[in-house]
């Protein structure tokens, strides 16, 4: 079974942030990854904990799911969409793309 793709690119996310559009950046990486770098204001819930914490996520505004490169976050985005989050989007390229294209001073790993 092929996964549906629900991607948003880093430039679109940067535009949402600049325009102050209400959204959540959901960081699903491991704690050690988050300690290295994170998008300001993001909400951290490790990937394995998502099923137990879905109630804290908004269904009313976009949820932008991010990991390191976008692979894990694509799976979580699909999971959220299959559980009624029609506003869930995968950050294509993850925090690596964000650090390269939007915040070049951000540490990379």
């Amino acid at each position: 079974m092929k996964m549906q793709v629900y991607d948003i690119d880093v430039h679109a996310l940067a535009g949402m942030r600049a325009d102050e559009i209400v959204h959540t950046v959901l960081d699903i990486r491991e704690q050690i990854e988050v300690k290295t770098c994170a998008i300001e204001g993001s909400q951290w819930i490790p990937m394995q904990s998502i099923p137990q914490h879905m109630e804290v996520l908004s269904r009313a505004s976009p949820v932008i799911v991010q990991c390191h490169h976008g692979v894990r976050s694509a799976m979580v985005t699909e999971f959220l969409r299959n559980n009624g989050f029609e506003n869930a989007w995968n950050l294509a390229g993850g925090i690596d793309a964000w650090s390269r294209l939007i915040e070049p001073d951000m540490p990379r790993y």
Side-chain angles (χ1 to χ4, degrees), residues 6-89:
Y6 299 99
D7 283 351
I8 183 173
D9 70 32
V10 294
H11 297 291
L13 175 58
M16 287 175 66
R17 295 169 71 80
D19 294 342
E20 298 181 359
I21 295 171
V22 176
H23 67 283
T24 300
V25 175
L26 175 60
D27 191 332
I28 62 153
R29 297 173 299 148
E30 296 298 319
Q31 186 174 20
I32 193 159
E33 294 176 283
V34 175
K35 285 182 178 182
T36 301
C37 61
I39 295 174
E40 185 177 338
S42 60
Q43 180 175 358
W44 176 56
I45 303 174
M47 182 176 181
Q48 308 89 313
S49 300
I50 296 296
Q52 296 83 25
H53 293 92
M54 289 191 305
E55 74 282 352
V56 303
L57 299 173
S58 173
R59 293 176 187 264
S61 58
V63 176
I64 314 302
V65 186
Q66 65 106 145
C67 65
H68 189 202
H69 288 112
V71 176
R72 291 173 286 173
S73 54
M75 291 186 284
V76 170
T77 299
E78 183 76 9
F79 172 80
L80 290 173
R81 283 191 167 255
N82 287 337
N83 283 278
F85 286 85
E86 296 176 6
N87 59 348
W89 298 93

Side-chain angles (χ1 to χ4, degrees), residues 17 38-40 97-108:
R17 295 169 71 80
I39 295 174
E40 185 177 338
W98 181 268
S99 64
R100 284 185 292 106
L101 301 170
I102 306 299
E103 283 189 59
D105 292 335
M106 177 181 279
R108 293 180 62 211

